[in-house]
Amino acid sequence: MNFFSTLNHSQPFFLYVAFHDPHRCGHTNPEYGEFCEKFGNGEEGMGIIPDWKPEHYKPEDVIVPYFIPDTPTARADIAAQYTTLSRLDQVEEQIFMILEWRNLFLMHLPQQTYSQVSEEMVSLLDIVPTVLEWFNVKYPDYKLNGMPVQLSGKSLLQSASLKKSEAVFASHNLHEVTIFFISPTFQDLLNRTVEKKKETHWYKNLTDYYYRPEWELFDLEKDSNERHNVVNNAAYHSIRATLQKMLLDWQISTNDPWICSPSGVLENKGRFKENPLHAFHFIMEFDIIHIQISI
């Protein structure tokens, strides 16, 4: 908290706080537990965090979300994660108490004398445009892989007067789908699947998990647990077409290298510079002709 003790309260400031919690650490530092839930709890060899009073949870008492197998191993995982989250909550609480405000997504405008709650959809992509506008900083002109980089988020300073976002976008660009091999929950699922005689207590099997369809669409009002994929349901055809076009437009505007995945390769130069998706269609047509000639 030294940052706040030296702060000039008459000047604006930008504070960025990043936590390791509740990331896993059992594969690197197993002595601290699966989620480092023992670190700083005062036990021998664990060190102590003076401002943290550990909260412990019983595996049999935790609520298991529908997307996680309801097994003893998974419950133990969740209980350990809850303890880590309690550490995160207590540290965050101290920061919020000093700043004297708290909400789901917080943005404090010193010149604004009233509070406002908005149902606007926001994402992490909106943070950089907001900070830049706040400090009146122009986004630099530069290129990545030969293409100009443009921010796809929006500033939230004037969110009340902005047109509401129809969608927010995200990209899975870090861990592969099988990265949770380090998780006891996933290891238990693998073992139960191999042994075959044990119930997995999950609404999916590994085949469905690994080989998911390219497109998924769920009606969350009718199917909050995302059990029934309606992407091929004729009743949702117009919604599917609209969402696919929105996604494609976003991929083109952000120079997404995965725009042709999984059925093609990216070609965004020459005749395909303005619309790389045409390269995908061209490649597919060429492959079909090639196959027909070969036959």
Side-chain angles (χ1 to χ4, degrees), residues 15-283:
L15 173 65
Y16 181 87
V17 182
F19 298 95
H20 180 275
D21 294 336
H23 202 284
R24 286 188 179 276
C25 71
H27 59 297
T28 56
N29 297 92
E31 67 274 19
Y32 295 135
E34 282 300 323
F35 288 92
C36 278
E37 69 275 6
K38 299 178 182 179
F39 181 80
N41 65 5
E43 296 179 3
E44 184 177 357
M46 297 296 106
I48 186 170
I49 300 176
D51 298 323
W52 178 41
K53 296 180 180 179
E55 296 182 19
H56 301 286
Y57 301 83
K58 296 180 180 179
E60 60 270 23
D61 293 337
V62 300
I63 297 175
V64 181
Y66 72 92
F67 49 83
I68 294 178
D70 191 352
T71 61
T73 301
R75 285 180 168 273
D77 245 1
I78 295 173
Q81 187 180 46
Y82 280 2
T83 296
T84 304
L85 284 169
S86 74
R87 179 171 57 209
L88 175 65
D89 286 343
Q90 291 180 34
V91 174
E92 285 184 335
E93 183 180 9
Q94 294 184 51
I95 297 175
F96 290 138
M97 287 178 63
I98 294 175
L99 296 177
E100 297 180 349
W101 35 260
R102 180 174 185 175
N103 210 320
L104 295 177
F105 183 89
L106 302 173
M107 185 171 66
H108 178 62
L109 304 177
Q111 68 274 24
Q112 184 170 301
T113 58
Y114 60 91
S115 298
Q116 178 181 346
V117 178
S118 173
E119 298 296 328
E120 173 76 358
M121 289 190 293
V122 299
S123 78
L124 295 178
L125 297 176
D126 300 325
I127 294 179
V128 171
T130 300
V131 172
L132 292 180
E133 182 182 354
W134 200 327
F135 290 95
N136 195 28
V137 176
K138 182 182 178 181
Y139 189 68
D141 295 326
Y142 74 98
K143 294 183 178 181
L144 186 63
N145 295 328
M147 303 295 291
V149 176
Q150 296 179 341
L151 294 176
S152 56
K154 64 180 184 302
S155 171
L156 302 175
L157 292 184
Q158 306 298 328
S159 60
S161 60
L162 290 175
K163 180 182 177 181
K164 287 191 175 297
S165 299
E166 296 181 289
V168 291
F169 300 91
S171 176
H172 186 183
N173 59 8
L174 182 57
H175 294 314
E176 64 273 20
V177 71
T178 58
I179 189 63
F180 289 102
F181 64 88
I182 61 175
S183 158
T185 297
F186 199 74
Q187 285 286 345
D188 182 58
L189 178 63
L190 290 174
N191 293 334
R192 288 171 178 270
T193 302
V194 170
E195 294 177 14
K196 294 183 179 179
K197 295 181 179 180
K198 284 190 174 182
E199 172 62 46
T200 61
H201 298 284
W202 200 29
Y203 74 98
K204 283 181 179 287
N205 57 47
L206 281 184
T207 300
D208 293 336
Y209 179 71
Y210 281 135
Y211 303 102
R212 284 171 282 183
E214 179 180 358
W215 296 99
E216 292 182 307
L217 176 64
F218 301 99
D219 187 337
L220 297 183
E221 291 185 351
K222 300 178 180 179
D223 179 27
S224 59
N225 288 354
E226 301 181 0
R227 300 287 294 271
H228 305 289
N229 185 9
V230 298
V231 72
N232 293 319
N233 188 323
Y236 295 86
H237 175 75
S238 61
I239 295 177
R240 168 183 172 172
T242 299
L243 293 175
Q244 286 180 324
K245 184 180 185 305
M246 292 172 64
L247 177 60
L248 177 60
D249 291 343
W250 184 74
Q251 288 182 287
I252 292 176
S253 65
T254 57
N255 301 315
D256 185 1
W258 297 106
I259 192 169
C260 298
S261 179
S263 303
V265 295
L266 176 65
E267 179 56 76
N268 58 354
K269 297 180 180 179
R271 60 190 286 194
F272 304 114
K273 181 176 181 180
E274 300 300 326
N275 196 339
L277 194 65
H278 284 174
F280 160 70
H281 289 270
F282 174 79
I283 292 170

Side-chain angles (χ1 to χ4, degrees), residues 1-15:
M1 299 301 174
N2 292 336
F3 172 84
F4 298 107
S5 64
T6 60
L7 186 66
N8 183 346
H9 294 279
S10 63
Q11 298 293 323
F13 65 90
F14 176 68
L15 173 65

